[in-house]
Amino acid sequence: MKKIVVDAGHGGEDQGASGNGIIEKDLTLKISKYMKDRFDELGIPASLTRDSDITLNPTDRVDKVLSFYGNGNDVIVLANHINAGGGDGFEIVYGLRNKDTLAKKIAHEIETTGQNVRKYYQRRLPSDSSKDYYYIIRNTPNTEALLVEYGFLDSTADDVNQLKDNWQDYAEAVVKAVTEYIGVPYYTQTDEYYTVEKGDSLWSIAKKFGTTVDNLKSINNLSGNMLSIGQKLKISESASPSSGTYYTVKKGDTLYSIASKNGLTVNELKSLNDLTSDTLTVGQSLLIDKAPSPSTDITTYTVKKGDSLYKIAKQYNTTVSNLMTINNLKSSNLSIGQKLKVPVSSTTTSQNIYTVKSGDTLYSIARANNTTVSDLIAKNNLSTSTLSVGQKLLI
């Protein structure tokens, strides 16, 4: 298994960049300690170059990196930093010796948090273009080292608030990308998992964790009692299993055959069921069609200058990942004038949402609801007065 060295940039007398209530050395330490804890939970060997506010000069930092697991290609180095210079968004630099696979994977996961990705790239030393620009990559020559810049602390856009509010989401995104890259099963902190060992049964596992066989079967979507060594079982979870249509795995089934029968792709099927591998067990229950949520309605939002998925999600009390899912977005990049579906909770729907009927105009709707046309336009971010039957309007 690959080993991870997490490097909290700067520290001690070297505070790094600072501004808008953010000090780089403090935020990189928080991010790095979070990552170390998560890698520990996932069973991945990981070490920190610093776990407190100490000064490390470049030579000491490199020596520290190499002291844990050596200088082999089985070591991944994550050098965490916060950017400055007036830009906005996430950047990641990977070594001249490495492919872009991991950097690209991390960038993709970061995008799902709502942070825009500027680029993933290689940077060369001006005095010798055969060498990497950053010493942490250049002087750890056999490792897979990456310099990760989570955002600009002096951004005039949304990076400042995102760095303060979402740094943990960014750290988790990197953990997820690295975990999947090295082929280790990934799971979130909200679930407690147990790995099935030789001689285990549902009864013995239930007894060990103070639960019941029926509960284990329910939260793991199991229809039978068969287990396989190495199988991961949820022991507890923060939410009840998804409602919807399920398929019970039969002998000879594969993810591809099940997906094809039910109008899904393999990736969609894995996503619906939080699967991290292609292994199936006979009797396993797979979600193939998630039941629609009765608690939300959908309205349309038109993207304005300065908008980001993070800002829109916050405005409508939802998440970036939910917006990306319901709009089938592959990235967090938006364009002015783009139409987005946004969910509106049922607590506000009955009182504050109006469904356009035949013959309605903004004027007639405004008059009927004791408001103004300009208020309706502002609340619904409308660029035209044209309405369509069935359209949802915030009142």
Side-chain angles (χ1 to χ4, degrees):
M1 183 188 296
K2 287 184 181 285
K3 283 82 74 175
I4 316 297
V5 178
V6 185
D7 177 38
H10 306 280
E13 296 174 359
D14 174 16
Q15 71 170 13
S18 64
N20 292 310
I22 299 172
I23 299 174
E24 185 176 6
K25 67 171 183 176
D26 295 337
L27 187 50
T28 59
L29 183 59
K30 287 201 291 187
I31 289 170
S32 299
K33 291 173 77 170
Y34 176 94
M35 284 183 176
K36 169 66 165 64
D37 289 344
R38 287 291 287 126
F39 284 130
D40 287 346
E41 289 174 1
L42 292 161
I44 301 169
S47 298
L48 283 169
T49 55
R50 67 180 182 96
D51 58 9
S52 60
D53 188 21
I54 61 170
T55 304
L56 290 173
N57 64 41
T59 300
D60 290 341
R61 192 176 295 273
V62 169
D63 288 345
K64 192 82 170 177
V65 167
L66 300 179
S67 70
F68 297 114
Y69 311 113
N71 190 26
N73 59 12
D74 61 340
V75 180
I76 293 173
V77 181
L78 300 171
N80 291 322
H81 287 265
I82 309 300
N83 225 331
D88 186 80
F90 174 91
E91 296 181 353
I92 184 166
V93 184
Y94 61 99
L96 299 175
R97 59 189 175 269
N98 298 127
K99 295 180 180 179
D100 67 0
T101 309
L102 179 54
K104 187 176 181 179
K105 194 171 187 66
I106 290 173
H108 170 72
E109 291 298 336
I110 287 289
E111 276 194 320
T112 67
T113 70
Q115 173 63 304
N116 58 299
V117 173
R118 287 163 61 92
K119 55 185 173 179
Y120 51 92
Y121 67 110
Q122 297 169 316
R123 188 172 180 184
R124 298 175 183 272
L125 191 67
S127 59
D128 185 347
S129 62
S130 68
K131 294 182 179 180
D132 286 286
Y133 180 86
Y134 294 101
Y135 77 83
I136 199 68
I137 300 176
R138 186 173 65 247
N139 296 337
T140 56
N142 296 314
T143 69
E144 186 161 8
L146 303 102
L147 188 133
V148 190
E149 301 267 16
Y150 292 89
F152 286 75
L153 54 74
D154 57 355
S155 168
T156 56
D158 53 11
D159 268 9
V160 174
N161 287 333
Q162 287 184 299
L163 285 169
K164 291 177 180 178
D165 297 340
N166 295 354
W167 66 265
Q168 194 165 313
D169 293 339
Y170 299 164
E172 186 65 32
V174 175
V175 168
K176 183 175 188 289
V178 171
T179 301
E180 293 179 348
Y181 174 73
I182 66 176
V184 173
Y186 168 81
Y187 54 89
T188 66
Q189 286 183 299
T190 57
D191 297 323
E192 184 181 347
Y193 277 73
Y194 175 78
T195 304
V196 176
E197 299 172 355
K198 186 177 180 180
D200 276 337
S201 66
L202 284 175
W203 183 83
S204 66
I205 297 169
K207 188 175 181 183
K208 182 184 293 187
F209 289 95
T211 185
T212 65
V213 169
D214 284 344
N215 186 49
L216 285 179
K217 292 173 75 171
S218 174
I219 64 177
N220 288 280
N221 298 328
L222 300 177
S223 59
N225 296 324
M226 293 290 294
L227 298 176
S228 55
I229 295 172
Q231 182 178 351
K232 280 198 175 290
L233 292 179
K234 288 181 184 178
I235 303 304
S236 64
E237 62 181 0
S238 57
S240 58
S242 299
S243 58
T245 305
Y246 283 83
Y247 175 85
T248 302
V249 176
K250 300 188 294 288
K251 186 176 179 179
D253 277 337
T254 64
L255 284 177
Y256 176 76
S257 67
I258 297 168
S260 297
K261 286 178 192 172
N262 293 281
L264 298 167
T265 66
V266 170
N267 284 339
E268 287 169 342
L269 184 58
K270 291 175 77 170
S271 177
L272 275 171
N273 292 276
D274 296 322
L275 299 178
T276 56
S277 78
D278 295 343
T279 304
L280 296 176
T281 306
V282 173
Q284 184 177 351
S285 190
L286 294 178
L287 181 64
I288 56 173
D289 187 18
K290 191 175 287 187
S293 171
S295 61
T296 58
D297 209 333
I298 298 292
T299 189
T300 302
Y301 179 86
T302 305
V303 176
K304 306 189 301 289
K305 184 178 180 181
D307 273 342
S308 66
L309 282 178
Y310 170 75
K311 286 174 67 176
I312 298 168
K314 201 168 183 181
Q315 180 177 336
Y316 284 89
N317 195 31
T318 185
T319 64
V320 169
S321 60
N322 189 37
L323 285 180
M324 293 184 74
T325 298
I326 62 178
N327 288 281
N328 296 318
L329 300 177
K330 297 291 189 292
S331 81
S332 61
N333 294 329
L334 299 176
S335 55
I336 296 171
Q338 182 177 350
K339 303 287 185 184
L340 292 179
K341 297 174 184 175
V342 292
V344 184
S345 66
S346 59
T347 55
T348 61
T349 297
S350 60
Q351 298 174 350
N352 302 321
I353 295 293
Y354 178 83
T355 303
V356 176
K357 300 188 295 291
S358 179
D360 277 339
T361 64
L362 283 177
Y363 175 76
S364 66
I365 297 168
R367 190 172 180 185
N369 290 278
N370 196 29
T371 184
T372 64
V373 170
S374 58
D375 190 41
L376 284 178
I377 289 173
K379 273 189 177 179
N380 292 278
N381 195 35
L382 301 176
S383 56
T384 175
S385 60
T386 303
L387 300 176
S388 54
V389 175
Q391 183 177 349
K392 307 288 184 183
L393 294 178
L394 285 167
I395 302 299

